[in-house]
Amino acid sequence: MHNRSIRDLARSMARGEYSSTELTRHFLSRMADAGDLNAFITVTGDQALEQAAEADRRIRSGSAGPLTGIPMVHKDIFCTAGVPTTCGSKMLADFVSPYDATVVRRLAEAGMVSMGKTNMDEFAMGSSNESSHFGAVKNPWETSRVPGGSSGGSAAAVAARLSPVATATDTGGSIRQPAALCGITGIKPSYGRVSRYGMVAFASSLDQGGVLATSAEDAALVLEAMAGFDERDSTSLEQQVPDYTATLEESIRDKVIGLPKEFFGDGVEPDVADAIQDAIRELEALGARTVEVELPNSEIGIPCYYVLAPAEASSNLSRFDGVRYGHRAAQFEDLIDMYERSRAEGFGEEVQRRIMIGTYVLSSGYYDAYYIKAQKLRRMIADDFTRAFERCDLIAGPTSPGTAFPIGAKNDDPIAMYLNDIFTNSVNLAGLPGISVNAGFDRDGLPIGLHLIGRYLDETTILNVAHQFQQATDWHNTAPGGYA
Amino acid sequence: MKWETVIGLEVHVQLMTRSKIFSGDSTAYGAAPNTQACDVSIALPGVLPVMNREAARLAVKFGMAIGAEINRTSVFARKNYFYPDLPKGYQISQYETPIVGRGSLEIDPGDGPKTIGITRAHLEEDAGKSLHGSSGDFTGIDLNRAGTPLLEIVSEPDMRSPAEAVAYLRQLHALVRYLGISDGNMQEGSFRCDANVSIRPLGAAELGTRTELKNINSFRFVEKAIRYEIERQIDILEDGGTVVQETRLYDADRDETRSMRSKEEAHDYRYFPDPDLPPMVLEDAFLAEVKESLPELPHDRRHRFIEHYGLAPADAAQLTNERTQADYFEAVAEATNAEPRTACNWILGELNAALNQEGIPVEASRIDSDALAGLLDRIADSSISGKIAKDVFSAMWNGEGDADSIIEARGLRQITDTGAIEAVVDEVLAASPDQVRQFREGNQKVIGFLVGQVMKKTRGKANPKQVNETLRRKLDA
Amino acid sequence: MSSINSEQVTHIARLARLKTDEEKSDYFAGHLTRILDLLEQMNRIDTESVEPMAHPQDVHLRLRGDHVTAESRREDYQAIAPLADNGLYLVPRVIE
């Protein structure tokens, strides 16, 4: 059951081959067996079985939709009513959300069964899932290695076939990079496509919810259900969500793929570079054309991002003050001391580091030199993409310069960690959609991600190309040994 | 040395919207603590602000009323600081591009009109309330007020005396009420004032170091606080000291200002554009709609009252202070045959006295504009005298009916029959030989006594003008 | 090249309400200095005539109607509060 697509599962349930309850039990038991991956912070087995029973009623009565009864898990950044929502932080270790995020509500309404909340880098700040208060997540391909981050728990869970699909969020690569490092499919839609209401904010102008799945088809199905206008989010777009699955089977003949030379430089590990070249040849074989494009400012994306994201984060995380919810220090001298102790105890090192950077770049005397400068560069980076898309329909390259690295390898070096995002964060800066699909393995058997970037609001093209790639190759069907 | 005072005022006006600026919470005053504090107001993780159109509309209305530039694109920014009544750890405000730009307000502090510049007015959200003392060693936080829309109106440092500051505040207060954008209730905090005060040698071009006075929330306190602060600064400078730029709190009980220690820490608000709120761009249709809804402004109406109705400037100013009062006046003036001046005198006199007595606004008056017009008509057509009219007014106020029925029931109709008046006059003249003699010897004043006698005999119902004429005719004969 | 010293870290931590001490400030000063070096790479690019970009989309603020839509959920919300009494959130006494 755990190696089948969502459409297959739905068909089987419709035929009565098995029920959602049986399917849910199957995945819950796999989750329990794979506890050593540390992919979950909260498992909601009882609630899942209730939802599955309700889904079974709908399936029997013939009122099921394409996602009814399909089990899934949420990244623990999405607020779930009555269920702990920790954001991977001690600050929210005991926080039980009184409300559902829009994404959570929509998927529940679509009949999906939520089995729990996945581990993540604290407040989504990280590229390895090591900054979680609840411990590092292990990569199912090689458990001494990281799964990527910040959506490491979601990625590991889907890669190990513990759940057919998972929600995730991406601020600088947090869906696509773990998708690459875990050998699965991860899509970050255009900014404004998915409601941010109920998604704990990291960097509001960059954050976007999306999906981790084993295939582009599954990702398309779930994205369609979670996307769309939400009046509770002022940055949510009043745009019709396209029927993503309707166009998956279209030929990609004559699609023009832009190849930025900046994405194929020295910083990319040779095995990764080779796999991406092979993948591009595969796409050409499917009829796509390639053209060289330029993204001259892409390199500056890293410093630009590490000004803007921490700046917004420093403000977004001010609400965690121990007054209305969240961690409050046991002992303190006065109000300010209470704030300072609660926050220093509640936030981990990386979060505190980013709050400090953000506070610094916004502070008096530095605002223009850092924050405004970064906003100007952001426009230049976005303009580069606009120009590139005059010559192509989508852009391709590696998702990450390397494959999964050993747990602990970059812990003492925040900058080495930040460089993981080099190909992904400029996409967030420009608000564009991006997808990562598995495109093979390196010499150690670790997965390599192919990164496809679309025009603003054009998830359709990258899903179509990703799906056609997956029809022609079998990388996405390869599960890590021991979890097949 | 002669000193000159320089005052600029920052006024926070709560806008009269039903719901909060960024959430669907009610803005009603006086609810139980935290019962009007939804997920957005208490800043739960993951919640987002959604802007209230009405708040923008009211702000633009104000801007148009002070002849200000309206910024068609304005930007919400975050002002970052920690305080328990500020749940997000930042206040959503407008910083570099406020919705209302430069405008002005004309005031009359008593020695002629003066124009005070208004630098800007921007939208922001109110904070919650910290309640001290009721919960032992703790401060209680009530977030019902958090997110109430505020318009912060910043003046130029154009005022030169406490009296001018108060005149400006009163004018502004009247304006926001007149426009219907705020109830202006100072006790409930709907209209709050901070003052920036500095002094400099008379004739100096540069401004002195200013202090910011907080917590001055009545017209009386504004005047007292500024007066105290001016003296304090003069004392410091005349002793060779320097004024420290700081925030000071006005203590009404002691009538003094003191430094606010809790605000001593240098502020660095780290303003930046709020990424949750794209720029607010006002469409032509929106602006046209607001313009359409703009009532005739007090200033224009005052001038029209003077020109069209021939009112005295002071009376016109008083009438147009409150829109409802001005409306009432116009309704009376249009409905009655009496002179507009008479209508004005009755409204500012008898009617206001009666309203004040009961503490009710003019829209709750027990005598509506038509009824008052009916009473004034009877004065105009000489059915009753002004004096009798006051009795009729009281009877009307007490619910005894309209003017005509009261005049009828009490038999108050004036005697205008010449024959009847002549008969009484003859009677009085015959009974007052001394006074008649005195008059004929040149003492004109005794005519008053004689009129009084006639009125007494007619129980006030004789037309005084006719009585006067008849007396003079007979005495001169 | 900028660097951040321990005192500056202490000041930033104070603004951000993060408890720190000498050891912690020293530790963070090293990291922050290296991160600032990374950020300084921005200066390699001339941005003179570029308009800052605050949002990744060119949209205008949507304005909602003035309707009261929220109902009180005080009990739910205060059930997760560290300290609340009589409907109020409680914090150590604030001195003005």
Short mmCIF file of all heavy atoms in Angstrom, two decimals, chain A residues 182-230:
data_model
loop_
_atom_site.label_atom_id
_atom_site.label_comp_id
_atom_site.label_asym_id
_atom_site.label_seq_id
_atom_site.Cartn_x
_atom_site.Cartn_y
_atom_site.Cartn_z
N CYS A 182 16.36 13.79 0.31
CA CYS A 182 15.64 12.55 0.65
C CYS A 182 15.11 11.82 -0.59
O CYS A 182 14.40 10.83 -0.47
CB CYS A 182 14.48 12.85 1.60
SG CYS A 182 15.03 13.27 3.26
N GLY A 183 15.39 12.36 -1.78
CA GLY A 183 15.03 11.65 -3.01
C GLY A 183 13.54 11.64 -3.31
O GLY A 183 13.02 10.68 -3.88
N ILE A 184 12.84 12.69 -2.95
CA ILE A 184 11.40 12.74 -3.24
C ILE A 184 11.07 14.01 -4.04
O ILE A 184 11.96 14.71 -4.52
CB ILE A 184 10.56 12.67 -1.94
CG1 ILE A 184 10.95 13.80 -0.98
CG2 ILE A 184 10.75 11.30 -1.28
CD1 ILE A 184 10.04 13.93 0.21
N THR A 185 9.77 14.28 -4.15
CA THR A 185 9.30 15.43 -4.92
C THR A 185 8.78 16.49 -3.95
O THR A 185 8.01 16.16 -3.05
CB THR A 185 8.14 15.00 -5.85
OG1 THR A 185 8.62 13.95 -6.69
CG2 THR A 185 7.67 16.17 -6.70
N GLY A 186 9.21 17.73 -4.14
CA GLY A 186 8.72 18.79 -3.27
C GLY A 186 8.44 20.05 -4.06
O GLY A 186 9.29 20.50 -4.82
N ILE A 187 7.24 20.58 -3.92
CA ILE A 187 6.91 21.80 -4.65
C ILE A 187 6.62 22.96 -3.71
O ILE A 187 5.88 22.83 -2.73
CB ILE A 187 5.73 21.60 -5.64
CG1 ILE A 187 5.49 22.91 -6.43
CG2 ILE A 187 4.45 21.15 -4.91
CD1 ILE A 187 4.67 22.74 -7.69
N LYS A 188 7.27 24.08 -4.01
CA LYS A 188 6.95 25.35 -3.38
C LYS A 188 6.22 26.17 -4.42
O LYS A 188 6.80 26.52 -5.44
CB LYS A 188 8.21 26.11 -2.98
CG LYS A 188 7.92 27.49 -2.40
CD LYS A 188 9.10 28.46 -2.47
CE LYS A 188 9.05 29.38 -3.67
NZ LYS A 188 8.03 30.46 -3.54
N PRO A 189 4.93 26.46 -4.20
CA PRO A 189 4.20 27.23 -5.22
C PRO A 189 4.60 28.71 -5.18
O PRO A 189 5.39 29.13 -4.34
CB PRO A 189 2.75 27.04 -4.82
CG PRO A 189 2.78 26.73 -3.36
CD PRO A 189 4.10 26.07 -3.08
N SER A 190 4.02 29.46 -6.10
CA SER A 190 4.27 30.91 -6.16
C SER A 190 3.82 31.55 -4.84
O SER A 190 2.84 31.12 -4.24
CB SER A 190 3.45 31.54 -7.28
OG SER A 190 3.67 30.86 -8.48
N TYR A 191 4.53 32.61 -4.46
CA TYR A 191 4.14 33.33 -3.24
C TYR A 191 2.72 33.86 -3.40
O TYR A 191 2.38 34.47 -4.42
CB TYR A 191 5.09 34.50 -3.00
CG TYR A 191 4.80 35.25 -1.71
CD1 TYR A 191 5.32 34.80 -0.50
CD2 TYR A 191 3.98 36.37 -1.71
CE1 TYR A 191 5.05 35.45 0.68
CE2 TYR A 191 3.70 37.03 -0.54
CZ TYR A 191 4.23 36.57 0.66
OH TYR A 191 3.94 37.23 1.83
N GLY A 192 1.88 33.59 -2.41
CA GLY A 192 0.50 34.06 -2.47
C GLY A 192 -0.48 32.99 -2.91
O GLY A 192 -1.69 33.19 -2.85
N ARG A 193 0.04 31.85 -3.36
CA ARG A 193 -0.82 30.78 -3.86
C ARG A 193 -1.48 30.03 -2.71
O ARG A 193 -2.66 29.68 -2.78
CB ARG A 193 0.03 29.82 -4.71
CG ARG A 193 -0.74 28.82 -5.50
CD ARG A 193 -1.67 29.45 -6.50
NE ARG A 193 -1.20 29.37 -7.87
CZ ARG A 193 -1.90 29.86 -8.91
NH1 ARG A 193 -3.07 30.46 -8.69
NH2 ARG A 193 -1.43 29.77 -10.13
N VAL A 194 -0.70 29.78 -1.67
CA VAL A 194 -1.20 29.01 -0.52
C VAL A 194 -1.31 29.97 0.67
O VAL A 194 -0.39 30.73 0.95
CB VAL A 194 -0.26 27.83 -0.20
CG1 VAL A 194 -0.60 27.21 1.15
CG2 VAL A 194 -0.32 26.78 -1.30
N SER A 195 -2.43 29.90 1.35
CA SER A 195 -2.66 30.80 2.49
C SER A 195 -1.61 30.59 3.58
O SER A 195 -1.27 29.45 3.92
CB SER A 195 -4.05 30.55 3.08
OG SER A 195 -4.16 31.21 4.32
N ARG A 196 -1.14 31.68 4.13
CA ARG A 196 -0.20 31.61 5.25
C ARG A 196 -0.92 31.68 6.59
O ARG A 196 -0.28 31.63 7.64
CB ARG A 196 0.83 32.74 5.14
CG ARG A 196 1.77 32.59 3.95
CD ARG A 196 2.88 33.65 3.97
NE ARG A 196 2.33 34.99 3.86
CZ ARG A 196 2.40 35.91 4.82
NH1 ARG A 196 3.01 35.64 5.95
NH2 ARG A 196 1.88 37.09 4.63
N TYR A 197 -2.25 31.80 6.57
CA TYR A 197 -2.98 31.91 7.83
C TYR A 197 -2.85 30.59 8.60
O TYR A 197 -3.20 29.52 8.09
CB TYR A 197 -4.46 32.24 7.57
CG TYR A 197 -5.27 32.35 8.84
CD1 TYR A 197 -5.19 33.47 9.64
CD2 TYR A 197 -6.10 31.31 9.24
CE1 TYR A 197 -5.93 33.57 10.82
CE2 TYR A 197 -6.84 31.39 10.41
CZ TYR A 197 -6.75 32.52 11.19
OH TYR A 197 -7.48 32.62 12.36
N GLY A 198 -2.31 30.69 9.80
CA GLY A 198 -2.15 29.51 10.63
C GLY A 198 -0.83 28.80 10.44
O GLY A 198 -0.58 27.75 11.03
N MET A 199 0.02 29.38 9.61
CA MET A 199 1.37 28.86 9.40
C MET A 199 2.28 29.77 10.24
O MET A 199 2.33 30.97 9.98
CB MET A 199 1.67 29.04 7.91
CG MET A 199 2.67 28.12 7.32
SD MET A 199 2.66 28.42 5.52
CE MET A 199 4.04 29.54 5.39
N VAL A 200 2.94 29.22 11.24
CA VAL A 200 3.74 30.08 12.12
C VAL A 200 4.78 30.81 11.26
O VAL A 200 5.53 30.19 10.52
CB VAL A 200 4.41 29.27 13.24
CG1 VAL A 200 5.21 30.20 14.16
CG2 VAL A 200 3.35 28.51 14.04
N ALA A 201 4.79 32.14 11.36
CA ALA A 201 5.59 32.94 10.43
C ALA A 201 7.07 32.90 10.78
O ALA A 201 7.46 33.05 11.93
CB ALA A 201 5.09 34.38 10.45
N PHE A 202 7.88 32.70 9.75
CA PHE A 202 9.33 32.87 9.89
C PHE A 202 9.68 34.18 9.19
O PHE A 202 9.98 35.17 9.85
CB PHE A 202 10.02 31.62 9.30
CG PHE A 202 11.47 31.76 8.91
CD1 PHE A 202 12.26 32.81 9.34
CD2 PHE A 202 12.07 30.78 8.11
CE1 PHE A 202 13.61 32.91 8.97
CE2 PHE A 202 13.42 30.87 7.74
CZ PHE A 202 14.17 31.95 8.15
N ALA A 203 9.61 34.21 7.86
CA ALA A 203 9.86 35.46 7.14
C ALA A 203 8.68 35.66 6.18
O ALA A 203 8.58 34.99 5.15
CB ALA A 203 11.16 35.38 6.37
N SER A 204 7.80 36.58 6.57
CA SER A 204 6.48 36.66 5.94
C SER A 204 6.50 36.90 4.44
O SER A 204 5.59 36.47 3.73
CB SER A 204 5.68 37.77 6.60
OG SER A 204 5.73 37.63 8.00
N SER A 205 7.51 37.61 3.93
CA SER A 205 7.51 37.91 2.49
C SER A 205 8.15 36.78 1.68
O SER A 205 8.24 36.87 0.46
CB SER A 205 8.21 39.24 2.20
OG SER A 205 9.61 39.09 2.23
N LEU A 206 8.59 35.73 2.36
CA LEU A 206 9.26 34.62 1.69
C LEU A 206 8.58 33.28 1.94
O LEU A 206 8.65 32.37 1.12
CB LEU A 206 10.71 34.52 2.17
CG LEU A 206 11.60 35.76 1.95
CD1 LEU A 206 12.78 35.76 2.91
CD2 LEU A 206 12.10 35.82 0.52
N ASP A 207 7.90 33.16 3.08
CA ASP A 207 7.28 31.89 3.48
C ASP A 207 6.19 31.47 2.49
O ASP A 207 5.37 32.29 2.08
CB ASP A 207 6.55 32.04 4.83
CG ASP A 207 7.48 32.29 6.01
OD1 ASP A 207 8.69 32.08 5.88
OD2 ASP A 207 6.96 32.71 7.07
N GLN A 208 6.19 30.20 2.17
CA GLN A 208 5.11 29.68 1.35
C GLN A 208 4.92 28.20 1.65
O GLN A 208 5.88 27.43 1.72
CB GLN A 208 5.40 29.93 -0.13
CG GLN A 208 4.29 29.59 -1.08
CD GLN A 208 2.98 30.35 -0.88
OE1 GLN A 208 1.96 29.96 -1.39
NE2 GLN A 208 2.97 31.43 -0.11
N GLY A 209 3.67 27.81 1.84
CA GLY A 209 3.36 26.40 2.10
C GLY A 209 3.39 25.60 0.82
O GLY A 209 3.15 26.15 -0.27
N GLY A 210 3.67 24.32 0.93
CA GLY A 210 3.71 23.47 -0.25
C GLY A 210 3.61 22.00 0.17
O GLY A 210 3.16 21.70 1.27
N VAL A 211 4.05 21.14 -0.72
CA VAL A 211 3.82 19.70 -0.55
C VAL A 211 5.08 18.89 -0.77
O VAL A 211 5.87 19.19 -1.68
CB VAL A 211 2.76 19.20 -1.57
CG1 VAL A 211 2.36 17.78 -1.26
CG2 VAL A 211 1.54 20.10 -1.58
N LEU A 212 5.24 17.86 0.03
CA LEU A 212 6.27 16.85 -0.22
C LEU A 212 5.53 15.54 -0.52
O LEU A 212 4.61 15.16 0.21
CB LEU A 212 7.18 16.68 1.00
CG LEU A 212 8.19 17.82 1.17
CD1 LEU A 212 8.74 17.85 2.59
CD2 LEU A 212 9.34 17.67 0.17
N ALA A 213 5.93 14.89 -1.62
CA ALA A 213 5.24 13.67 -2.05
C ALA A 213 6.26 12.81 -2.79
O ALA A 213 7.41 13.22 -2.99
CB ALA A 213 4.08 14.02 -2.97
N THR A 214 5.84 11.63 -3.17
CA THR A 214 6.79 10.80 -3.92
C THR A 214 6.76 11.11 -5.41
O THR A 214 7.69 10.77 -6.13
CB THR A 214 6.51 9.29 -3.70
OG1 THR A 214 5.13 9.05 -3.92
CG2 THR A 214 6.90 8.86 -2.30
N SER A 215 5.70 11.75 -5.87
CA SER A 215 5.63 12.06 -7.30
C SER A 215 5.03 13.43 -7.54
O SER A 215 4.34 13.98 -6.68
CB SER A 215 4.77 11.02 -8.02
OG SER A 215 3.42 11.18 -7.62
N ALA A 216 5.27 13.95 -8.74
CA ALA A 216 4.69 15.23 -9.12
C ALA A 216 3.17 15.13 -9.19
O ALA A 216 2.46 16.08 -8.86
CB ALA A 216 5.25 15.68 -10.47
N GLU A 217 2.68 13.98 -9.57
CA GLU A 217 1.23 13.80 -9.68
C GLU A 217 0.57 13.92 -8.30
O GLU A 217 -0.42 14.63 -8.13
CB GLU A 217 0.91 12.43 -10.29
CG GLU A 217 -0.56 12.16 -10.43
CD GLU A 217 -0.84 10.71 -10.79
OE1 GLU A 217 -0.97 9.87 -9.88
OE2 GLU A 217 -0.91 10.41 -11.99
N ASP A 218 1.16 13.23 -7.30
CA ASP A 218 0.60 13.33 -5.95
C ASP A 218 0.70 14.76 -5.43
O ASP A 218 -0.22 15.27 -4.79
CB ASP A 218 1.36 12.39 -5.00
CG ASP A 218 0.98 10.92 -5.20
OD1 ASP A 218 0.15 10.65 -6.09
OD2 ASP A 218 1.53 10.07 -4.47
N ALA A 219 1.84 15.38 -5.70
CA ALA A 219 2.03 16.76 -5.24
C ALA A 219 0.99 17.68 -5.87
O ALA A 219 0.43 18.55 -5.19
CB ALA A 219 3.45 17.24 -5.58
N ALA A 220 0.70 17.46 -7.15
CA ALA A 220 -0.27 18.30 -7.86
C ALA A 220 -1.65 18.15 -7.25
O ALA A 220 -2.37 19.14 -7.03
CB ALA A 220 -0.30 17.92 -9.34
N LEU A 221 -2.02 16.91 -6.94
CA LEU A 221 -3.34 16.64 -6.36
C LEU A 221 -3.53 17.37 -5.03
O LEU A 221 -4.56 17.99 -4.78
CB LEU A 221 -3.49 15.13 -6.12
CG LEU A 221 -4.11 14.29 -7.22
CD1 LEU A 221 -3.93 12.81 -6.88
CD2 LEU A 221 -5.59 14.62 -7.36
N VAL A 222 -2.52 17.28 -4.19
CA VAL A 222 -2.64 17.85 -2.85
C VAL A 222 -2.51 19.38 -2.90
O VAL A 222 -3.24 20.10 -2.22
CB VAL A 222 -1.61 17.22 -1.89
CG1 VAL A 222 -1.65 17.89 -0.52
CG2 VAL A 222 -1.86 15.72 -1.76
N LEU A 223 -1.61 19.86 -3.75
CA LEU A 223 -1.44 21.31 -3.86
C LEU A 223 -2.74 21.98 -4.30
O LEU A 223 -3.14 23.02 -3.78
CB LEU A 223 -0.31 21.65 -4.84
CG LEU A 223 -0.05 23.14 -5.03
CD1 LEU A 223 0.36 23.79 -3.70
CD2 LEU A 223 1.04 23.38 -6.08
N GLU A 224 -3.41 21.33 -5.24
CA GLU A 224 -4.67 21.87 -5.74
C GLU A 224 -5.68 22.04 -4.61
O GLU A 224 -6.43 23.01 -4.57
CB GLU A 224 -5.23 20.92 -6.79
CG GLU A 224 -5.83 21.60 -7.98
CD GLU A 224 -6.20 20.59 -9.04
OE1 GLU A 224 -5.27 20.00 -9.63
OE2 GLU A 224 -7.40 20.38 -9.24
N ALA A 225 -5.68 21.08 -3.68
CA ALA A 225 -6.64 21.13 -2.58
C ALA A 225 -6.28 22.17 -1.53
O ALA A 225 -7.14 22.73 -0.87
CB ALA A 225 -6.75 19.75 -1.93
N MET A 226 -4.99 22.42 -1.34
CA MET A 226 -4.61 23.36 -0.28
C MET A 226 -4.45 24.80 -0.77
O MET A 226 -4.51 25.73 0.03
CB MET A 226 -3.36 22.89 0.46
CG MET A 226 -2.06 22.88 -0.32
SD MET A 226 -0.80 21.91 0.59
CE MET A 226 0.14 23.23 1.33
N ALA A 227 -4.32 25.00 -2.07
CA ALA A 227 -4.09 26.34 -2.59
C ALA A 227 -5.40 27.10 -2.74
O ALA A 227 -6.48 26.55 -2.59
CB ALA A 227 -3.38 26.25 -3.94
N GLY A 228 -5.28 28.39 -3.03
CA GLY A 228 -6.47 29.20 -3.31
C GLY A 228 -6.63 30.36 -2.36
O GLY A 228 -6.07 30.38 -1.26
N PHE A 229 -7.44 31.29 -2.80
CA PHE A 229 -7.62 32.55 -2.08
C PHE A 229 -8.15 32.33 -0.66
O PHE A 229 -9.04 31.52 -0.43
CB PHE A 229 -8.58 33.44 -2.85
CG PHE A 229 -8.94 34.69 -2.13
CD1 PHE A 229 -7.97 35.64 -1.83
CD2 PHE A 229 -10.24 34.92 -1.71
CE1 PHE A 229 -8.29 36.79 -1.13
CE2 PHE A 229 -10.58 36.08 -1.01
CZ PHE A 229 -9.60 37.02 -0.72
N ASP A 230 -7.59 33.08 0.26
CA ASP A 230 -8.04 33.06 1.65
C ASP A 230 -8.15 34.49 2.14
O ASP A 230 -7.16 35.22 2.19
CB ASP A 230 -7.03 32.28 2.51
CG ASP A 230 -7.43 32.23 3.98
OD1 ASP A 230 -8.55 32.66 4.32
OD2 ASP A 230 -6.61 31.76 4.79
#
